[in-house]
Amino acid sequence: MRIRHLTLLEYEGEAQSSYNEVRMTPLDDRGQTTLDQRLTIRPATPVWTYRDYWGTQVSVFDVPNGHRALTIEAVSRVETAGPRPLGKPLSWAALRAVDGPVAEYLRPTERTTITPGVGLAQVPGRDPHEAAEAIAWAVHERVAYVEGSTGVLTSAQEAWDLREGVCQDMAHVTVALLREAGLPARYVSGYLHPHRNAAIGEPVLGQSHAWVEYWAGDWVALDPTNQSKVGESHVVVARGRDYADVPPLKGIYQGPPAGRQVVKVEVTRLA
């Protein structure tokens, strides 16, 4: 797939300076290879990159001079693959004893805290793979997808009580319930091609997307929003404890307090 992610920020006046982090570069990962990628900033400015604690490639730049608009264009080509076969999961007893870096994904965060016991009905009598899938699909049934019903600061508890949200909320709720069940779980952000059987070479409007991965001896990805496993249509960009670890754009600027933001994601199946 070819992915073009364009962000335009227009200020009501002149911004004197801005300092930014961008997470828009797909990962080289199991089942996914980034063939090439380009990040273009206007006004032109040097860009530095580093890997954050969670393994995401972060591009960092500042614009020190006055500017009325900021454009960020990320273009990449990525080869993806279907879901990997499931291996035999660890036992629940072994999962209760897990430690090290994986155990960090058991700890709740502000966005992934939920009423105790909410998701445990999906666990009895199931192995970890079965329980994880039952939890994710239960979230799909409980939380209706309604654009604009929530914001980036909405917590799992708020989305659960509201019974509606977007992919970010479904991922937060699922992560919260997986962790409560004793499964290390992480929030994943990236892109989703909206048409599974898209024509080759046809650009279509895509979207940023969020799903989850849980650990039962190996990492397994599930998409609660679409009630599906993660496959060729998904492109991984970033992973973390919740959305706060993976925002596509984060920064500060000195200048007018209001402005306009336009975001456009275009995806093209190349093969």
Side-chain angles (χ1 to χ4, degrees):
M1 277 188 284
R2 178 180 184 270
I3 301 145
R4 177 175 178 261
H5 186 161
L6 178 68
T7 302
L8 170 63
L9 302 171
E10 293 181 330
Y11 308 106
E12 291 186 355
E14 187 173 79
Q16 300 305 311
S17 56
S18 67
Y19 306 89
N20 307 275
E21 288 184 355
V22 171
R23 290 171 172 83
M24 297 180 187
T25 300
L27 295 174
D28 272 321
D29 200 28
R30 297 179 307 175
Q32 175 177 300
T33 303
T34 300
L35 303 174
D36 57 59
Q37 60 86 25
R38 180 182 77 250
L39 183 69
T40 303
I41 311 298
R42 302 182 188 90
T45 189
V47 177
W48 294 266
T49 63
Y50 72 93
R51 292 276 178 179
D52 70 13
Y53 180 79
W54 310 105
T56 302
Q57 180 169 314
V58 185
S59 301
V60 183
F61 66 91
D62 60 78
V63 183
N65 302 316
H67 54 288
R68 291 181 172 271
L70 175 64
T71 302
I72 302 160
E73 182 183 40
V75 179
S76 56
R77 284 193 307 129
V78 185
E79 184 176 342
T80 61
R84 301 175 66 210
L86 288 178
K88 183 179 179 180
L90 294 178
S91 67
W92 288 109
L95 285 167
R96 284 192 290 271
V98 70
D99 59 7
V102 172
E104 293 189 64
Y105 291 106
L106 281 168
R107 303 185 184 114
T109 65
E110 185 175 349
R111 286 183 171 89
T112 59
T113 299
I114 203 164
T115 302
V118 162
L120 295 183
Q122 314 300 326
V123 175
R126 293 185 167 106
D127 72 23
H129 287 324
E130 295 168 339
E133 193 167 295
I135 287 170
W137 301 169
V139 172
H140 175 84
E141 295 299 326
R142 162 85 183 203
V143 182
Y145 186 92
V146 180
E147 288 189 15
S149 59
T150 56
V152 294
L153 298 179
T154 302
S155 69
Q157 186 67 59
E158 290 168 333
W160 181 262
D161 293 341
L162 191 62
R163 300 179 73 102
E164 59 185 37
V166 293
C167 59
Q168 172 184 298
D169 304 297
M170 295 189 195
H172 279 151
V173 173
T174 304
V175 164
L177 298 183
L178 289 169
R179 289 173 181 168
E180 183 190 27
L183 289 165
R186 58 193 184 187
Y187 181 103
V188 187
S189 73
Y191 303 106
L192 174 67
H193 198 302
H195 307 308
R196 187 179 300 273
N197 298 312
I200 292 175
E202 179 185 352
V204 299
L205 288 180
Q207 56 185 308
S208 295
H209 194 49
W211 58 96
V212 305
E213 291 178 349
Y214 70 90
W215 192 83
D218 196 3
W219 289 104
V220 180
L222 296 173
D223 184 345
T225 302
N226 293 296
Q227 198 173 4
S228 69
K229 296 184 178 179
V230 171
E232 290 180 319
S233 298
H234 295 76
V235 176
V236 178
V237 172
R239 298 184 175 100
R241 295 162 297 179
D242 61 26
Y243 176 82
D245 290 332
V246 301
L249 174 62
K250 180 169 69 174
I252 59 172
Y253 72 93
Q254 179 184 0
R260 184 174 76 102
Q261 178 172 307
V262 177
V263 178
K264 180 181 179 181
V265 175
E266 182 183 86
V267 294
T268 306
R269 183 183 175 200
L270 300 177

